[in-house]
């Protein structure tokens, strides 16, 4: 009987151990995929939730105390931020309406107190297609055939920076026929456009300011206020654009309180949803702190360091450690209530230590991944030439580091490296490749470079068709299919042969 009980206890211990290992692995995986700024937020959240986890204080190391007796008198910063954001958002629509008829490029938008042009000037680096990429991600969630997908992708590419579509559908129909050999009428294009208008942010894909605002109102829950907003924008748009609030109030038969509530909600509408989304992306990229600092010396030496940013040195709270020692020394003489309290302390200490260990694993994982990338792409880090990038896929790095493919993917999808030649996302260093007839491997970037050179040197009176371009590449030992040539040509922004003819 005793042996059976012992066996049951051992099984329970093994189950708890397996569960603990699994939870620790999940924690490690979640931390690895975070960017530096996201990691700082995650650490702050963990310290807030677990009192046993603390940051090493510089005052502790110096033996000094920090006196901030006046801190309690200061309102939290986020209160100021929320107030400022609310005020600016409410005035955004007023500013846009005041400028109807001016060049769209000059229209002010809600951007935290800064104009769009200022936002663009401050954006140091980042993918300018991020706005369109986000829409294309939503496009992938829509069930449609290849023809509709081609139309939608072209429509997304035709949107202005503010997210509105200013080309008429007949022009888009002509362009699809000329550039993509796709013959569709305006009704079919409009059906696809309606799907885009269901994407986020609300108002995207509208063909006018009025339609943009109506699309946003349509997303609201049914209410009397929603009906009033629809009437104000739909039936009295001229008065609305001129901010003749009194006329609208009179037409809708509202008292002063009702009118103020209506106008307050109308001011929350976003006249430029695309610019708002672009601003969010821009700020996010602007605030990214590179996870790696890569240094290339003139003698060819390449070194790198992990950027610690604002990541604090973590430790387990000494008071919790002391309580644990007390429990271990006096566990036979403690009351049940005290034991339960100390059990809680033990759980918090174990959790804190597990988090600290996961941070160490993250640091090691990032280090060996970046080391492998530098070894593989050494020539690029020496000369900064895109053509120097060798074909490299996730599997190559996984084999070189001994990490799982999923782990390499997590690291590569969210990290940035600052180099002598600029700051790049790690995924920039990855690309597929082709094996030439002589056995040499070329990356897709190198193939595009060769393709661009061939087109640049062609006789513009008799430009090469995609079949001829494929033959020319094959003549250089790069045998790729015609449709692959067409894809690369389009990615280079080069039109078909008849449109290149001079």
């Amino acid at each position: 009987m005793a042996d059976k009980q012992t066996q049951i206890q051992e099984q329970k211990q093994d189950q708890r151990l397996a569960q603990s290992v699994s939870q620790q692995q999940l924690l490690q995986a979640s931390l690895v995929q975070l960017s530096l700024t996201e990691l700082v937020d995650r650490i702050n959240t963990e310290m807030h939730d677990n009192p046993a986890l603390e940051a090493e204080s510089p005052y502790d190391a110096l033996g000094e105390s920090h006196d901030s007796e006046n801190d309690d008198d200061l309102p939290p910063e986020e209160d100021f931020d929320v107030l400022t954001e609310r005020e600016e958002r409410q005035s955004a629509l007023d500013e846009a309406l005041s400028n109807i008829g001016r060049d769209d490029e000059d229209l002010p938008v809600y951007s935290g107190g800064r104009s769009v042009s200022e936002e663009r000037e401050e954006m140091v680096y980042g993918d300018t297609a991020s706005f369109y990429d986000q829409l294309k991600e939503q496009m992938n969630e829509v069930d449609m055939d290849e023809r509709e997908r081609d139309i939608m992708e072209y429509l997304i590419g035709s949107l202005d920076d503010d997210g509105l579509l200013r080309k008429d559908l007949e022009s888009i129909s002509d362009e699809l026929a000329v550039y993509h050999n796709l013959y569709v009428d305006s009704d079919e294009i409009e059906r696809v456009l309606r799907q885009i208008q269901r994407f986020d942010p609300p108002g995207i894909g509208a063909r006018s300011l009025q339609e943009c605002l109506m699309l946003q109102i349509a997303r609201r829950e049914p209410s009397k206020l929603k009906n009033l907003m629809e009437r104000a924008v739909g039936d009295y748009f001229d008065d609305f654009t001129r901010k003749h609030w009194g006329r609208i109030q009179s037409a809708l038969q509202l008292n002063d309180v009702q009118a103020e509530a209506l106008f307050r909600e109308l001011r929350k509408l976003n006249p430029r949803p695309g610019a708002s989304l672009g601003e969010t992306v821009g700020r996010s990229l602007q605030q990214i702190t590179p996870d790696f600092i890569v240094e290339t010396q003139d003698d060819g030496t390449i070194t790198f360091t992990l950027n610690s940013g604002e990541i604090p040195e973590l430790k387990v709270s000494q008071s919790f450690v002391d309580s644990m020692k007390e429990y271990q020394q006096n566990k036979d003489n403690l009351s049940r209530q005290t034991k339960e309290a100390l059990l809680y302390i033990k759980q918090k200490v174990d959790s804190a230590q597990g988090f600290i260990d996961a941070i160490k694993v993250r640091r090691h994982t990032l280090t060996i991944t970046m080391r492998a990338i530098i070894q593989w792409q050494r020539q690029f880090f020496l000369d900064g030439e895109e053509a120097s990038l060798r074909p490299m896929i996730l599997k190559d790095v996984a084999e070189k580091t001994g990490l799982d493919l999923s782990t390499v993917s997590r690291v590569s999808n969210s990290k940035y490296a600052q180099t002598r030649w600029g700051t790049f996302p790690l995924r920039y260093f990855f690309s597929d490749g082709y094996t030439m007839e002589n056995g040499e491997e070329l990356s897709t970037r190198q193939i595009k470079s060769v393709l661009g050179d061939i087109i640049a040197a062609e006789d513009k009176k008799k430009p090469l068709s995609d079949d001829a371009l494929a033959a020319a590449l094959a003549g250089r030992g790069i045998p790729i299919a015609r449709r692959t040539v067409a894809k690369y040509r389009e990615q280079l922004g080069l039109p078909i042969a008849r449109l290149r003819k001079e």
Side-chain angles (χ1 to χ4, degrees), residues 213-486:
L213 302 181
M214 292 295 286
L215 287 171
Q216 295 175 53
I217 297 171
R219 298 277 187 103
R220 289 174 165 256
E221 294 294 327
S223 67
K224 182 177 180 180
L225 180 58
K226 177 183 177 181
N227 293 337
L228 290 172
M229 294 176 71
E230 288 177 335
R231 291 185 62 190
V233 176
D235 299 337
Y236 305 100
F237 189 66
D238 286 342
D239 289 329
F240 177 76
T241 59
R242 292 174 172 81
K243 293 185 286 185
H244 291 165
W245 308 123
R247 293 184 184 178
I248 297 175
Q249 178 179 351
S250 177
L252 298 179
Q253 300 180 345
L254 304 176
N255 60 38
D256 290 344
V257 175
Q258 293 170 329
E260 177 58 33
L262 171 62
F263 302 147
R264 183 170 58 248
E265 290 303 306
L266 288 172
R267 290 189 184 97
K268 293 180 182 179
L269 299 175
N270 191 345
R272 302 185 65 174
S276 176
L277 178 61
E279 173 220 328
T280 301
V281 174
R283 275 195 196 174
S284 174
L285 288 170
Q286 186 182 354
Q287 292 173 353
I288 285 176
T289 304
D291 300 82
F292 307 95
I293 310 296
V294 183
E295 300 285 350
T296 302
Q297 308 300 330
D298 292 337
D299 63 359
T301 303
I302 303 174
T303 59
F304 76 96
T305 56
L306 284 180
N307 188 359
S308 60
E310 298 180 3
I311 298 177
E313 289 294 330
L314 299 175
K315 66 174 184 178
V316 179
S317 168
Q318 188 60 46
S319 62
F320 276 70
V321 173
D322 293 341
S323 297
M324 284 290 299
K325 290 180 180 178
E326 178 185 351
Y327 168 72
Q328 292 171 350
Q329 294 171 358
N330 306 294
K331 58 184 177 181
D332 296 330
N333 301 320
L334 299 176
S335 65
R336 179 178 178 179
Q337 185 177 4
T338 304
K339 286 182 178 179
E340 289 177 350
L342 290 173
L343 179 60
Y344 164 81
I345 291 175
K346 182 180 185 303
Q347 291 172 342
K348 292 300 181 183
V349 168
D350 290 345
S351 177
Q353 189 58 56
F355 190 82
I356 293 172
D357 292 341
I359 292 290
K360 293 178 180 178
V361 170
R362 178 186 185 275
R363 186 180 300 124
H364 173 72
T365 301
L366 265 62
T367 298
I368 61 176
T369 300
M370 192 68 224
R371 182 182 297 127
I373 291 174
I374 291 175
Q375 290 173 349
W376 198 281
Q377 303 291 10
R378 176 178 173 79
Q379 189 58 43
F380 171 83
F381 289 100
L382 289 175
D383 59 30
E385 295 292 336
E386 186 177 20
S388 297
L389 288 170
R390 298 170 54 198
M392 182 180 74
I393 58 176
L394 294 175
K395 183 180 178 182
D396 297 325
V397 176
E399 291 177 349
K400 202 171 185 65
T401 59
L403 298 171
D404 292 337
L405 273 172
S406 59
T407 301
V408 177
S409 177
R410 289 189 184 97
V411 174
S412 305
N413 284 337
S414 58
K415 307 297 181 299
Y416 284 75
Q418 179 180 307
T419 76
R420 185 176 185 176
W421 319 109
T423 300
F424 303 90
L426 290 198
R427 62 180 178 271
Y428 174 82
F429 303 110
F430 291 81
S431 69
D432 293 328
Y434 286 85
T435 302
M436 297 176 62
E437 293 176 347
N438 61 5
E440 180 185 355
E441 274 197 311
L442 285 182
S443 70
T444 53
R445 288 187 179 89
Q446 291 169 313
I447 295 174
K448 289 179 187 178
S449 178
V450 174
L451 177 60
D453 291 341
I454 293 174
I455 293 176
E458 70 183 357
D459 182 355
K460 297 305 179 185
K461 294 182 179 179
K462 297 180 180 179
L464 300 173
S465 66
D466 289 341
D467 284 321
L469 291 172
L473 286 169
R476 300 194 183 194
I478 309 174
I480 58 176
R482 184 204 62 81
R483 61 185 178 186
T484 305
V485 170

